[in-house]
Every structure is written in C-alpha cells, then in structure tokens.
Amino acid sequence: MVHAQFAPAVRERIADAAVEAKVRKNLTWRQIADVTGLSVAFVTAAVLGQHPLPEPAAKAVAELLELDEDAAMWLQTIPTRGSIPGSVPTDPTIYRFHEMLQVYGTTLKALVHEEFGDGIISAINFRLDVRKVSDPDGGERAVITLDGKYLPTRPF
C-alpha cells in the first residue's frame, strides 16, 4: 500500500541518521545508490527525504547504512517535498543555485516557452546528472544536466 506523509519530521530524522551512517562508514552517495540499481541523484534525493524509494531499494539502503526496519518502511513513503526552509537559502552552494535562477530564471522561461510553447518542465518525470570536467583555463567545472519532460498546458 502507498502511504503519503504530511509533515517532514520523520524523513528529516531518517536523513540525519542516514548521513551520519554514510559518514561513519565512509561511503559515497554513488556507493549507496549502487546497492539500489537506481541513479545516484534519485537515491541521494530519496535518502535526503525528497522521494520515496521502491521497497527493494529502501531495504538495501537501510541494510547498507545499518538503519532499522522502520527506516526502510519510512524511506518508501511519499514525502512532503521541499528541502529549503524559509526564503533565501544561506548555504553558499544552495544559494548559488538560487542566484542562478534569480539571474537566468526568466531567460530559461523565455527560451523554454519559445521552443515548446506554454507549459512546464516536469520535476516528476525528471533526470539529474552532475559531472566534474576540466576547465581549459585551469581548474574544474561543474556540468549539471536537468532533464525534465515537457508538459504542455492544455485548455479545458
């Protein structure tokens, strides 16, 4: 049976325990995702309380992180999504994404609508990838791919 949560507290506690276990066991998010067969972005978001995991994945993550059966059960529930409380984020990394949307949000909207018409890019039917690449000018660059299905607005 599918269950939904209406407050984030339980998933926040499980996320805290999972991150603590991840650090204690010196695991990467990729190693955690590898036991599920799912993408590293999806599993990371799920463990941090933003998605439900399928039962086999939830049990595998709980076992790897030595979380109890209750945690495996709660990892399968549909969470109350949203991980940034308040208004402007204060964490520098999250703030930069906020800044990017402040600067480029209207540009992205204009280009999406010009290319596709009136509609949205789904965050449900969605893929996320983060890669590190060399910068020809020295250092490294982050390549972040947001790949969402386009859903047109339909008159009714």
Side-chain angles (χ1 to χ4, degrees), residues 50-71:
Q50 299 304 304
H51 294 303
L53 284 173
E55 183 177 0
K59 288 182 175 182
V61 167
E63 182 179 335
L64 177 65
L65 297 177
E66 298 176 11
L67 303 174
D68 62 23
E69 288 181 25
D70 280 350

Side-chain angles (χ1 to χ4, degrees), residues 61-126:
V61 167
E63 182 179 335
L64 177 65
L65 297 177
E66 298 176 11
L67 303 174
D68 62 23
E69 288 181 25
D70 280 350
M73 175 190 70
W74 285 107
L75 284 168
Q76 297 171 62
T77 61
I78 300 167
T80 300
R81 290 178 172 96
S83 61
I84 304 172
S87 55
V88 177
T90 57
D91 177 86
T93 302
I94 297 172
Y95 174 77
R96 292 300 174 245
F97 285 101
H98 176 79
E99 179 183 43
M100 286 176 222
L101 285 176
Q102 288 286 31
V103 174
Y104 293 104
T106 53
T107 300
L108 290 167
K109 176 181 170 50
L111 294 173
V112 165
H113 291 314
E114 183 174 281
E115 185 73 23
F116 295 96
D118 187 16
I120 62 166
I121 305 301
S122 175
I124 301 299
N125 189 337
F126 186 80

